[in-house]
Amino acid sequence: MATFVDRVVLQLQAGNGGHGVASVHREKFKPLGGPDGGNGGRGGDIILRVDPQVTTLLEYHHGPYRKATNGKPGEGDERNGAQGSDLILPVPDGTVVSTRDGEVLADLVGAGAEYVAARGGRGGLGNKALASKRRKAPGFALLGEPGGSREVVLELKTLADVALIGFPSAGKSSLVSVLSAARPKIADYPFTTLVPNLGVVTAGGERFTVADVPGLIPGASEGKGLGLRFLRHVERCHVLVHVIDCATLEPGRDPLTDLDVIERELAEYVPDASLGGIPLADRVRIVVLNKADVPEARELAEMVKPDLEARGLDVHIISAVAHTGLKELTYALAAAVSKARSGQIVIEPTRVVVRPKAIDDSEFLVRRENTPEGEVFRVIGDRPTRWVRQTDFSNDEAVGYLAERLNRLGVEDELLKAGAVAGSTVLIGPEDDAVVFDWQPTISAGAELLGQRGTDIRLEDRSRPTRSEKREAFHGKMDAAAAARAELEDDRRAGVWTDPDDE
C-alpha cells in the first residue's frame, strides 16, 4: 500500500450558485407590496493551500474527486441565500499545480501560499434586485451559475539545498542517516529507498537540508525505472552530490562510468525553468567516493580521485559506515550551499500564475460554422454565456429579458452582419453544452403581449378615493337599488307581466 505519493490528478467541482427567487411582498392592507425576492448565495471555491504539516499527496491519491458546497437559494422578504463554504485542500510545501498538458498554473512555495483552483458560481438575482423604474414588478428571477469544473495535476518537488544522487545501493540513505537525525530505511538490495528522505544538517553557522533522492539508472530521463519521478525532486536543489559506490561488483561499473551515466541523465532531463532557476547541468557538483572502509574500494577511490579533480570537481573519500571523512564533507557542503545561496537571485515565490480577465467582459464573437446538421451561428463570450446560464427558459418573461440584454449588448446586430436570417440556428455557450435557439430578429415573449414587460397597471394608479367620494358612491348605489325596486313594484300592481317586444 502506498505511503508516499508525489503526483496526483484531481477532479475538482466548485459549488453552484443558489437561484434567485421571484416573490411579492404580502402584508395586511398591502395586497401588492412589490417584489421582495432575495438573491441566491455564491457557490464555494476550491482552494489549494500550503500546510507545513502535510508532507505527501497520499490523501488525494485515495480521494481524487473533491466538491465544494453549493450556495443556498434566496427567499421572500428580501432574504438572500447563504453562501457555500470554500473547500480548503492542504498541500505540501513545494507543490506545483499544472494542467494535463503540462501548463504550470501555480507554484506553491511557503506556508500559507494558496491558489484558487476552481471558482464557485455566482448566485442568481432575485426579482427585488431586478426591479427598476421600467420593470417595477418582475415576475422572474435569475438562476445561479454552475460552479467551475476542473482537472489539475499536483506534483510535489522536494525543497532541499543538497541532493544526493547516484545508482541504487550507493549508500545515499546511509549518508543522510549519519549527517542528520533522519532515519531512512537502509538495506542491502537496490531501490530500498522509494521516496525522498530529508535531513537537516548544521555545520558551523550554516544550516541546510539534504535530500536522499532514490537511485537512478541508465535511461532515467526517459522514464525507465522511476527516473522521472526521482529527477523531479532534484529540480529545486542548489548543490548536487554524486554518491559513488567504490565497492560495487557489478560488471561494467566503475566510479568514472557511474559519474558519466548519471551526468548524462541529468543533462537529458529538462526541468521546468520557472521552478529550478538554472539548468541541472550548471549547478554545483561535489563527488563523494563512498564505502572507503573496504580496502579495495579505498584503493580504487584514491586511484580515480586525481582524474575527477582534473575535471574541476570537488572530491571526498568517505565511509558512511566507519564515519570517516564526514566532517570535511559536511563543511564542504556548507560552503557550497552558502556560495549557491549568495549567488542566487532572491525572487519571492510566485503563489499564483495570474491571468487576469479584461475589466470589460462585454466582448463577444459571432462565428459562422458549417456542421453536419447545417449552418449555425455560434456566439462566444463570457457575458452572453453567463446570461444564458442564468435564464429560466420556462418563464416567458425571463426569456424576453434575456433577449433584451443580448440586444443591448449588440448580439443581434452582429448576427445580422454575419448573415443570420430569421430561423437561423444560433448557439450560445461552450461547444459541449451550448443552448440552441431558432433565432428571430425580434423576440417577443408571451408576457410582452400584455404590455411593457415588468409593469403592472394595478401599481400605476396611485390615487385613493376620499371619504366623501366613497359616501357619494355608496348612496348612489343605494338610490339605484331603491329605484329598481320601486319600478318592479309599479309593474306588479299594474298587472304588466309580459315583455312588450314579445307582442
Side-chain angles (χ1 to χ4, degrees):
M1 182 177 179
T3 58
F4 179 87
V5 176
D6 57 4
R7 186 181 188 275
V8 294
V9 179
L10 290 184
Q11 304 289 340
L12 306 178
Q13 175 62 59
N16 299 328
H19 299 329
V21 67
S23 175
V24 176
H25 180 70
R26 300 186 184 278
E27 188 178 342
K28 190 175 182 180
F29 304 122
K30 292 183 180 180
L32 297 173
D36 69 346
N39 304 330
R42 177 188 61 83
D45 297 335
I46 297 183
I47 302 174
L48 303 174
R49 180 178 296 167
V50 173
D51 185 347
Q53 302 301 320
V54 178
T55 58
T56 177
L57 300 173
L58 180 63
E59 179 184 354
Y60 308 119
H61 172 73
H62 296 300
Y65 299 95
R66 301 299 172 115
K67 186 180 187 304
T69 57
N70 299 329
K72 300 297 183 181
E75 299 180 19
D77 201 16
E78 302 183 23
R79 289 176 291 179
N80 296 331
Q83 295 186 357
S85 301
D86 294 337
L87 179 60
I88 308 296
L89 301 180
V91 296
D93 195 2
T95 300
V96 178
V97 186
S98 60
T99 64
R100 279 277 196 177
D101 299 331
E103 178 188 1
V104 176
L105 301 175
D107 181 13
L108 301 178
V109 177
E114 63 180 34
Y115 172 67
V116 181
R119 292 196 176 275
R122 300 182 185 180
L125 297 179
N127 64 341
K128 173 65 177 180
L130 295 171
S132 64
K133 291 183 178 179
R134 296 180 54 251
R135 189 183 303 106
K136 297 183 179 180
F140 67 99
L142 299 183
L143 304 179
E145 292 185 58
S149 178
R150 199 172 197 180
E151 180 183 74
V152 297
V153 178
L154 303 186
E155 288 185 296
L156 175 58
K157 302 194 177 183
T158 305
L159 291 171
D161 298 301
V162 178
L164 304 182
I165 57 178
F167 274 77
S169 298
K172 300 182 296 296
S173 298
S174 299
L175 184 56
V176 168
S177 67
V178 297
L179 291 179
S180 67
R183 292 295 177 263
K185 180 180 179 180
I186 300 174
D188 59 352
Y189 54 85
F191 293 109
T192 306
T193 303
L194 295 179
V195 300
N197 297 303
L198 287 178
V200 179
V201 182
T202 302
E206 198 71 34
R207 184 183 178 91
F208 56 94
T209 55
V210 178
D212 164 23
V213 179
L216 301 175
I217 62 174
S221 61
E222 300 173 359
K224 292 184 179 180
L226 297 176
L228 290 178
R229 287 183 56 188
F230 296 165
L231 286 169
R232 180 186 307 134
H233 296 281
V234 183
E235 290 191 32
R236 301 183 189 269
C237 300
H238 302 310
V239 180
L240 304 182
V241 177
H242 286 276
V243 181
I244 299 177
D245 182 3
C246 292
T248 180
L249 299 178
E250 294 183 24
R253 291 276 303 278
D254 62 79
L256 295 178
T257 302
D258 288 359
L259 178 64
D260 293 338
V261 169
I262 299 302
E263 283 290 334
R264 188 181 307 114
E265 297 304 323
L266 294 177
E268 293 180 0
Y269 177 70
V270 181
D272 193 307
S274 63
L275 303 180
I278 59 177
L280 297 182
D282 298 339
R283 302 191 191 184
V284 178
R285 297 289 201 281
I286 292 179
V287 177
V288 172
L289 301 176
N290 194 19
K291 303 185 181 180
D293 54 298
V294 179
E296 294 82 358
R298 173 168 285 278
E299 292 179 5
L300 179 60
E302 293 176 349
M303 184 185 304
V304 300
K305 182 178 179 180
D307 295 334
L308 295 173
E309 290 177 338
R311 299 186 183 185
L313 297 172
D314 184 10
V315 183
H316 295 265
I317 300 176
I318 71 161
S319 171
V321 175
H323 293 201
T324 58
L326 298 181
K327 184 175 182 180
E328 295 80 1
L329 174 62
T330 302
Y331 280 95
L333 294 177
V337 169
S338 177
K339 182 178 179 181
R341 287 175 176 174
S342 61
Q344 186 182 27
I345 300 176
V346 179
I347 301 177
E348 290 295 328
T350 305
R351 292 187 177 184
V352 178
V353 179
V354 181
R355 296 177 176 83
K357 294 183 179 180
I359 297 177
D360 182 11
D361 60 352
S362 62
E363 295 296 329
F364 67 92
L365 172 66
V366 175
R367 188 171 63 196
R368 190 171 185 171
E369 300 177 354
N370 291 320
T371 66
E373 291 77 17
E375 185 180 64
V376 299
F377 296 85
R378 186 179 300 277
V379 180
I380 303 172
D382 292 338
R383 186 173 288 186
T385 301
R386 185 173 71 249
W387 289 348
V388 167
R389 289 176 175 175
Q390 293 176 330
T391 301
D392 178 9
F393 288 95
S394 63
N395 187 306
D396 291 336
E397 190 175 351
V399 175
Y401 177 62
L402 171 64
E404 182 180 292
R405 299 173 86 182
L406 294 175
N407 188 26
R408 288 201 307 266
L409 188 62
V411 173
E412 184 168 315
D413 294 338
E414 292 299 322
L415 286 171
L416 292 173
K417 292 178 182 179
V421 297
S424 295
T425 301
V426 176
L427 287 76
I428 301 179
E431 296 186 5
D432 57 344
D433 189 25
V435 178
V436 183
F437 299 90
D438 289 331
W439 183 65
Q440 297 295 331
T442 55
I443 301 178
S444 297
E448 293 176 345
L449 302 177
L450 304 177
Q452 185 177 4
R453 184 172 66 256
T455 61
D456 192 325
I457 58 176
R458 295 172 295 178
L459 300 179
E460 296 293 335
D461 186 9
R462 297 181 178 272
S463 62
R464 298 181 60 183
T466 63
R467 182 174 298 180
S468 59
E469 291 175 343
K470 290 181 180 180
R471 186 182 297 109
E472 183 178 353
F474 173 76
H475 288 303
K477 291 180 182 179
M478 298 300 293
D479 292 343
R485 287 195 299 270
E487 184 178 356
L488 290 175
E489 181 63 21
D490 293 341
D491 291 342
R492 185 181 66 78
R493 292 181 177 180
V496 181
W497 303 100
T498 60
D499 191 340
D501 294 337
D502 295 338
E503 296 179 353

